[in-house]
């Protein structure tokens, strides 16, 4: 029988996160480094909910496809304009079908024995399968031997999968996030940049912790966020939507063409996570950045990162603005990645077996994240 959350972490460690009484605590260090805990997260939580895995802008035309980083799934733009998700595993003997993003494919061919699948997943050809020169699909059943679909849905440009197919409708799942961003004109969302997929040598929860709390900002981002003093930040905790925000009156960058190139993050912002992994940063007046952290499905000490930038006013950026955003966000991310990977190294120590304590002023959002996690991983009636 598989272990429960309490079996793994102990009743006291779970209870002090689920119902804090005094100091705020993280979960024990094991949750950042243990393969069995990763399996519990993947199977008992992330497979049952909506996982943010990609963007429509990254597969804009029929036949465009992209693997989900760190996980055996891929996304494909269909001829009817929708985006479909499939298990990234050949139905013959399981070779990965798609290794890299691609554009305008007519079909997908497994590189092992060249089984070939259509954009809709059906098996088109199984070369020599029943004898030399006989390319018929097994049993004459192209769908039964086709790629296994995974439930996929889209909110604005953001694409989600629900692996076990039982989650609530995506719109309902995201309603709390939509309410927090009700002032954003998503109808004018305009994608302008996706950063390449990046491997980070840290558990995905360490990445999320760092991205949602402001405590580290004056220390780690002294220059890049010089215009966002810690004193001006406040926490956001509303059920599954958590994070922080800052109001910087009078310092919002202008949207005058050519003059909106930021040299540091001296602007009002909201940093919001809809658990488990849709992280949206809204910068006044009209920029949204998504940050996608996915746990690696095999290694608890590895995560996969992608980020994409949008305007929400329909405007395009000048080349100077685009370059300024790219340079600034690269600097911020370099600062963060170094910290996240260093935390992962420290968390291997028995000194952090209890997980550590959290600031009651600046890290209550992290405490809320773990309350959400505990709630999701407790056995259900
Ligand atoms: Fe894909 Fe054999 S494993 S064709």
């Amino acid at each position: 029988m598989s272990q429960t959350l309490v079996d793994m972490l102990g009743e006291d460690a779970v209870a002090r996160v689920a119902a804090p009484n005094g100091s705020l605590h993280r979960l024990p260090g094991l949750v950042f480094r243990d393969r069995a805990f990763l399996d519990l997260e993947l199977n008992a939580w992330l497979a049952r909910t909506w996982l943010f895995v990609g963007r429509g802008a990254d597969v804009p035309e029929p036949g465009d496809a992209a693997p989900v980083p760190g996980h055996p799934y891929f996304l494909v733009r269909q001829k009817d304009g929708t985006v479909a998700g499939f298990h990234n595993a050949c139905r013959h003997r399981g070779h990965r079908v798609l290794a890299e993003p691609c554009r305008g494919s007519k079909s997908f061919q497994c590189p092992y024995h060249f089984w070939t699948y259509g954009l809709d997943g059906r098996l088109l050809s199984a070369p020599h399968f029943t004898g030399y020169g006989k390319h018929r699909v097994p049993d004459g059943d192209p769908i039964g031997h086709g790629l296994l679909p995974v439930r996929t849905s889209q909110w604005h440009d953001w694409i989600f999968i629900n692996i076990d197919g039982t989650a609530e409708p995506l719109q309902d799942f995201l309603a709390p996030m939509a309410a927090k961003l009700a002032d954003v004109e998503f109808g004018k969302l305009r994608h302008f940049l996706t950063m390449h997929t990046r491997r980070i040598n840290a558990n995905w929860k360490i990445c999320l912790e760092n991205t949602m709390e402001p405590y580290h900002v004056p220390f780690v981002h002294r220059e890049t966020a010089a215009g966002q003093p810690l004193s001006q930040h406040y926490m956001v905790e509303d059920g599954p939507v958590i994070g922080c925000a800052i109001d910087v009156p009078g310092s919002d960058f202008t949207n005058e063409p050519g003059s909106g190139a930021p040299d540091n993050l001296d602007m009002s912002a909201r940093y919001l996570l809809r658990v488990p992994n849709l992280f949206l940063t809204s910068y006044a007046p009209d920029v949204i950045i998504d940050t996608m952290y996915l746990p690696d499905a095999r290694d608890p000490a590895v995560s996969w990162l992608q980020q994409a930038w949008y305007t929400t006013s329909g405007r395009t950026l000048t080349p100077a603005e685009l370059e300024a955003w790219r340079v600034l966000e690269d600097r911020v991310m370099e600062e963060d990645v170094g910290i996240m990977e260093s935390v992962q190294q420290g968390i291997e120590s028995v000194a952090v077996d209890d997980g550590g304590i959290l600031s009651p002023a600046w890290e209550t959002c992290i405490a809320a994240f773990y309350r959400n996690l505990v709630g999701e991983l407790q056995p259900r009636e």
Side-chain angles (χ1 to χ4, degrees):
M1 201 175 81
S2 58
Q3 284 190 301
T4 67
L5 186 68
V6 168
D7 293 338
M8 285 187 183
L9 306 181
E11 211 162 315
D12 289 350
V14 172
R16 70 184 185 181
V17 166
N21 182 13
S23 304
L24 296 176
H25 291 265
R26 270 160 132 196
L27 287 170
L30 172 149
V31 307
F32 305 106
R33 60 190 188 225
D34 184 76
R35 173 62 200 253
F37 188 83
L38 174 65
D39 289 342
L40 180 69
E41 279 181 326
L42 291 172
N43 297 325
W45 182 19
L46 302 183
R48 293 156 65 156
T49 188
W50 287 105
L51 203 55
F52 168 40
V53 294
R55 303 159 198 84
D58 294 335
V59 286
E61 300 295 333
D64 294 351
V68 175
H71 291 259
Y73 310 101
F74 71 105
L75 303 174
V76 187
R77 178 76 66 180
Q78 301 293 294
K79 290 176 184 164
D80 67 4
T82 60
V83 176
F86 295 101
H87 289 253
N88 195 357
C90 178
R91 297 299 301 285
H92 176 217
R93 278 169 41 207
H95 195 288
R96 183 175 59 179
V97 172
L98 186 71
E100 300 289 339
C102 63
R103 289 292 174 95
S105 293
K106 301 286 185 237
S107 59
F108 300 100
Q109 191 170 67
C110 173
Y112 201 172
H113 311 92
F114 280 22
W115 280 31
T116 303
Y117 302 89
L119 300 189
D120 60 359
R122 73 179 58 211
L123 181 60
L124 302 178
S125 172
H128 310 297
F129 186 69
T130 52
Y132 188 76
K134 298 177 181 174
H135 309 316
R136 279 174 50 79
V137 301
D139 313 321
D141 181 2
I143 295 174
H145 294 279
L147 295 172
L148 275 188
V150 61
R151 187 182 176 203
T152 305
S153 193
Q154 185 165 347
W155 182 65
H156 303 297
D157 196 44
W158 297 291
I159 296 171
F160 296 75
I161 58 172
N162 165 223
I163 295 161
D164 79 351
T166 65
E168 63 194 306
L170 183 65
Q171 298 295 327
D172 295 348
F173 172 81
L174 290 171
M177 186 65 139
K180 278 277 174 285
L181 296 170
D183 58 319
V184 173
E185 293 192 77
F186 283 109
K188 296 181 179 173
L189 200 66
R190 187 170 189 139
H191 173 268
F192 63 90
L193 179 68
T194 296
M195 196 178 78
H196 294 303
T197 303
R198 175 168 182 170
R199 173 189 161 120
I200 298 177
N201 294 316
N203 182 271
W204 72 294
K205 297 183 292 298
I206 288 172
C207 302
L208 283 176
E209 287 179 357
N210 179 76
T211 308
M212 74 175 92
E213 58 88 351
Y215 190 24
H216 70 291
V217 170
F219 313 111
V220 176
H221 305 302
R222 283 184 297 276
E223 294 178 4
T224 48
Q228 291 191 332
L230 181 62
S231 58
Q232 299 300 110
H233 283 83
Y234 53 94
M235 295 287 102
V236 176
E237 295 162 39
D238 191 357
V241 179
I242 52 183
C244 69
I246 180 167
D247 297 330
V248 186
S251 62
D252 301 341
F253 64 87
T254 170
N255 60 3
E256 289 297 315
S259 60
D263 60 5
N264 87 91
L265 298 174
D266 59 347
M267 60 200 74
S268 297
R270 286 168 285 185
Y271 302 90
L272 299 177
L273 172 69
R274 196 309 175 195
V275 292
N277 82 325
L278 175 66
F279 199 98
L280 296 181
T281 300
S282 162
Y283 289 121
D286 68 345
V287 168
I288 277 198
I289 298 175
D290 74 49
T291 304
M292 183 175 89
Y293 288 116
L294 283 167
D296 186 87
R298 291 172 295 188
D299 188 343
V302 172
S303 305
W304 296 91
L305 164 69
Q306 281 180 348
Q307 276 187 315
W309 284 258
Y310 301 82
T311 56
T312 57
S313 58
R315 73 177 174 122
T316 54
L317 300 189
T318 65
E321 285 176 302
L322 184 59
E323 181 62 8
W325 270 108
R326 196 191 59 72
V327 168
L328 176 59
E329 286 294 335
D330 272 358
R331 285 179 64 200
V332 172
M333 189 49 73
E334 282 307 317
E335 293 165 348
D336 282 329
V337 168
I339 289 292
M340 294 186 284
E341 294 189 338
S342 198
V343 170
Q344 184 69 40
Q345 290 168 19
I347 214 111
E348 302 294 335
S349 163
V350 295
V352 205
D353 272 356
D354 73 350
I357 62 169
L358 299 169
S359 162
W362 309 113
E363 294 175 313
T364 56
C365 53
I366 297 178
F369 175 79
Y370 289 115
R371 273 201 305 283
N372 271 274
L373 182 152
V374 164
E376 294 291 342
L377 291 185
Q378 294 281 36
R380 301 185 183 187
E381 298 296 317

